[in-house]
Amino acid sequence: MVEHDVLSVTREAYDAVAPLYAQRFRDELRERPLDRAILSVFAEVVGAGGDGQVADLGCGPGHITAHLDELGLAAFGVDASSAMIELARQAYPGLRFDMGSMAALDIADGVLGGVLSRWSVIHTPPQELPVILAEFHRVLAPGGHLLLGFWASDDPSHPTQVFDHTVAPAYRWSPDHLSAMLLKSGLAEVARMVREPQPADRRQFQEIQLLARKASAGAL
């Protein structure tokens, strides 16, 4: 199946670069104040909704999961790469990290206060993304929040754009199109952060972070 093949290729590619990836991105938030700000907003809105757990899906070596923990969230990480999960467990032994696929999460229905998907859907073929968005909706509790990060396509008239990611084939998305897909999946956008590329950035792409919310129980 397409999803299985893509997942296997992506998993193997990240297994191969896991130590280098962990070393490169361990301190990435230090120089990214806007990212720290949107993660703080995410933590605040999730915390305001109760004591629900937060899943960092596509957690890699666990540094963002650890940051969420520092922000006071009951966060755990999930990744398809066994090498990434092993590095995360070694670096943050007090936190939980599980192997898993975003397309079939081993998480009960409606138990999460938040889902973080930080550049973890970029390797998903466009035709497979609705399955993953449906999983995000399924595991979120009513009123729960999703923070979704990705790179924007150059032409808003095209939903997606393939680009040569260093690790595995990847896609950029029209923010408006992806927001509409979220809404169709039952997740309504409540905020959007757009970061323009900086001169020193290797990739001159807009970075988008969409904050979306699952409707509360009984809402129309």
Side-chain angles (χ1 to χ4, degrees):
M1 293 178 63
V2 173
E3 190 277 334
H4 175 74
D5 291 344
V6 171
L7 180 61
S8 296
V9 169
T10 304
R11 179 192 298 120
E12 291 170 5
Y14 275 98
D15 280 346
V17 300
L20 179 61
Y21 185 99
Q23 181 180 16
R24 178 176 178 182
F25 291 103
R26 182 187 306 116
D27 299 320
E28 64 169 317
L29 290 179
R30 182 179 302 169
E31 305 299 328
R32 299 178 69 89
L34 292 177
D35 286 42
R36 296 197 305 272
I38 193 65
L39 288 169
S40 293
V41 169
F42 174 67
E44 184 171 344
V45 296
V46 170
D51 298 325
Q53 287 189 310
V54 174
D56 178 9
L57 303 180
C59 65
H63 56 297
I64 303 299
T65 314
H67 185 73
L68 295 178
D69 177 72
E70 292 172 358
L71 292 174
L73 296 177
F76 66 96
V78 178
D79 203 280
S81 165
S82 60
M84 289 290 191
I85 290 296
E86 181 60 29
L87 289 173
R89 289 171 176 168
Q90 291 174 5
Y92 310 103
L95 299 179
R96 169 186 160 195
F97 295 97
D98 301 328
M99 282 194 63
S101 165
M102 291 186 296
L105 294 165
D106 187 19
I107 300 173
D109 294 355
V111 297
L112 298 181
V115 166
L116 177 66
S117 174
R118 182 180 165 85
W119 279 268
S120 56
V121 300
I122 62 171
H123 302 295
T124 302
Q127 68 273 16
E128 299 291 337
L129 190 58
V131 173
I132 289 175
L133 299 184
E135 277 291 271
F136 292 171
H137 180 272
R138 180 185 67 79
V139 298
L140 278 170
H145 285 80
L146 164 71
L147 183 59
L148 181 67
F150 58 97
W151 280 300
S153 58
D154 295 326
D155 186 349
S157 66
H158 292 283
T160 63
Q161 183 176 353
V162 179
F163 72 97
D164 57 339
H165 190 277
T166 305
V167 180
Y171 302 84
R172 295 193 275 160
W173 285 85
S174 158
D176 289 341
H177 181 81
L178 192 42
S179 179
M181 290 182 68
L182 286 171
L183 185 59
K184 189 174 182 180
S185 299
L187 299 164
E189 179 183 344
V190 297
R192 179 183 306 193
M193 188 179 83
V194 180
R195 179 183 180 273
E196 296 295 335
Q198 304 302 301
D201 290 348
R202 185 170 62 87
R203 297 196 179 279
Q204 293 295 296
F205 303 155
Q206 276 188 337
E207 293 182 359
I208 309 296
Q209 299 200 50
L210 294 179
L211 182 65
R213 183 175 182 271
K214 180 176 177 177
S216 299
L220 297 178

